[in-house]
Amino acid sequence: MQLEEPYIELDNVSFSYDHNPVLENLSFTVRRGEYLGIIGPNGGGKTTLIKIILGLLHPTRGNVKLFGTDRHDFKEKHRIGYVPQRVTQNDKDFPATVFEVVRTGRIARLGFFERFTKKDTEVVNRAMEISGISRYRDTLIGNLSGGERQRVFIARALASEPDVLILDEPTVGVDIGAQKTFYEFLAQLNSEHHLTIIFISHDVDAVSQETKTVLCLNHNLVCHGLAQDLLNEHILERLYGGHKQRVPHNPNKPNKHEHA
Amino acid sequence: MLEIFQYDFMVRAFEAGIAIGIIAPLIGMFLVVRRYSLMADTLAHVSFAGVAIGLLLQINPIFSAIGFSVVSAFGIEYLSNSRRIFGESVLALFLSGSLAVAVIILSLAKGFNANLFSYLFGSISTVSTTDLWVTLALAVIVFLNVVLLYKELFFASFDAELAEASGLPVKMLNIMMVMLAAVAIALSLRIVGVLLIGALMVIPAISAMQYGRSFRFTLILSVIFSLVSVIVGLFASYYFDLASGGAIVLVALFIFLVSLGFARKG
C-alpha cells in the first residue's frame, strides 16, 4: 500500500515551560486523509502539542515540518484550520455577527490592507451552509447555544479552505444530542470533503468510537496507531495511571472503525 | 450664519471637535471589546503629565502630550507582555504615576495653574491654529489606520490566539492600537479634558452595542453618537457657558440612556 502524503511531521520534539518538561521526544506523522484522535490526561501536553503545530509555541528541541516545509519557512497558514476550545473563552459579549466571525477564516489568505472579495463571501457562505448555520448569518455570536457556536468556529476554520482541521476539545459544553450530530458532521467532513482531521479529547470513548487512528499523549508518546488495536486496559493504565475507570466500548454500537 | 461661527476660535473648536468625535469612538470601540477601557483613562493622565512637561519647558503642550503618551504606551504594552505584572496593575501604575509627575511639575511652577486647569475639563476657547492643524493631520492618520487595517484589528480583538495562528502579527497590531489610542487621546485633551476623554471613547461604543448589530454597524453607529455628542455639547458649551468636556459627555450619557431603553424594549 502506498502511503499518503505527510501533512504534519514531528521529529524528536520536546517542549518545556520554565524548565518543566511538557513534551519529550515526540515523533509522529499525520498523513493526508487521516482522522486522528489525541487523548491523554489533563496536563499531558495535548494543547501544547497543538500550539506547536499551529506555530503559537516553539519547540525547545526537535523539528516540525508542515506539508513538507520546515515550520520556520511555512507561510500557508490557511492550510490548517483550527477550532479552539470555546467554553472558557469569554467572547459572548463581543458585538460580532456569525458572518463576521466566519469571515475571519479568510484573513489568512489575504494580505494586509487587502479587502474581502466576492469570492471570499461565496466561500464564507458555503462554509456556513456545510456547517448548517446559514440561518444564523446575521445573529450575534453571543446569542447562540454552545453547539451552534461550535459550528460557527468550525465554519470559520472551513472558510480558509484548509487541508487539515484541528479541534481542541470540541464537545465540551455541547449537549449530548448535539454531540452525536456533531460527530456525524466530522465524519462526513473526513469522508466526503477529504479533510484530514485531528481531534483532541479527554473523552476516550468518543475518540475510540469516532476516529480511525489514535495518539495517546502523556508528556511522551504512549501509543500511536489504529484505534481498535490500542485502546486496551494496559495502555489506558499507562496513560492515566490506573485512576481512570474506562467505560467498556460496546462493540454492538455503530462506530467508524472495524472490529477484527 | 449662526452667531457662534463668527468667532474663529469656535470654528476651530468645531473642526477639531469633529475630527476627535470621529476617531475617539473608533479607537474606543476596540478598547471596549478587549476589556481595556481603563487604557483610555490611563493614557489621558499620561498625556496630562505630557502637557505639564510642555508648559514647564515652554513648548506647545500638544506635542509634549503626544510624545509622552506614545512613549508611555510602549512602556505599558511592554510591561503587560512581560507578564511580571498584571495588565490592570500596569494601567494603575501609569495612571497614578503620571498624575504624580503632573502634580509635582504643577507645584514646581505655580505660574500656569489656571492654564493647566483647562486641560482637566476641556475648554473650547483654547484651540490654537497649530493645535487644529496637528489635530486634523493626526486624526486623518488614525482614521486611515483603522479603516485600512479594519479586518486585522477586528480579528486580533476578537480572538488574539486564532489571529496569531492565522499568521497575523498580533503583538505589533496591539502596540499600534495603543499608540493610536495615545495619539487620539492627546489630541482630545484641549476640548474634552483629561478627566472626561475616557468617557468620549467608551460611552458611544457601549451605547452603540446596545442595538445588537454587527461589529461594522456598531462601529459606525458609535461614530454617529460621538459626533452628535460633540456637536451638541459644543453648542451647549458656547450658549450656556459650560465646560465643553462636561457638556459633550453629558450628551453622550443621555444617548446611552436612550439606547439602554431601546435595548430593554427590543
Side-chain angles (χ1 to χ4, degrees), chain A residues 85 87 145-148 150 169-176 178-179 202:
Chain A
Q85 199 174 329
V87 193
S145 73
E148 289 158 353
Q150 198 55 259
E169 298 280 6
T171 53
V172 172
V174 178
D175 64 68
I176 300 285
Q179 280 185 27
H202 64 277

Side-chain angles (χ1 to χ4, degrees), chain A residues 185-203:
Chain A
F185 172 56
L186 283 188
Q188 191 189 356
L189 286 177
N190 177 244
S191 57
E192 289 174 27
H193 296 266
H194 310 295
L195 206 59
T196 306
I197 297 180
I198 299 177
F199 167 31
I200 293 186
S201 184
H202 64 277
D203 185 348

Side-chain angles (χ1 to χ4, degrees), chain B residues 107-180:
Chain B
S107 47
L108 282 178
K110 299 193 170 66
F112 50 78
N113 283 8
N115 201 347
L116 205 58
F117 184 81
S118 74
Y119 282 96
L120 281 179
F121 302 104
S123 160
I124 43 176
S125 58
T126 51
V127 182
S128 71
T129 316
T130 315
D131 291 346
L132 176 64
W133 285 113
V134 173
T135 303
L136 290 181
L138 289 179
V140 167
I141 293 176
V142 172
F143 180 79
L144 285 179
N145 260 293
V146 175
V147 170
L148 291 176
L149 290 173
Y150 172 78
K151 71 178 192 306
E152 286 82 6
L153 290 173
F154 170 79
F155 196 11
S157 307
F158 178 69
D159 195 316
E161 191 177 76
L162 272 179
E164 208 183 327
S166 301
L168 285 192
V170 172
K171 267 194 191 136
M172 202 193 84
L173 285 168
N174 283 346
I175 289 175
M176 195 195 82
M177 195 71 224
V178 175
M179 280 176 46
L180 292 179

Side-chain angles (χ1 to χ4, degrees), chain B residues 15 19 34 37 40 45 55 65 85 136 141 179 215-216 249 251:
Chain B
E15 286 170 346
R34 289 178 179 202
S37 302
H45 285 80
L55 291 174
I85 316 172
L136 290 181
I141 293 176
M179 280 176 46
F215 189 82
R216 206 178 113 91
V249 170
V251 178

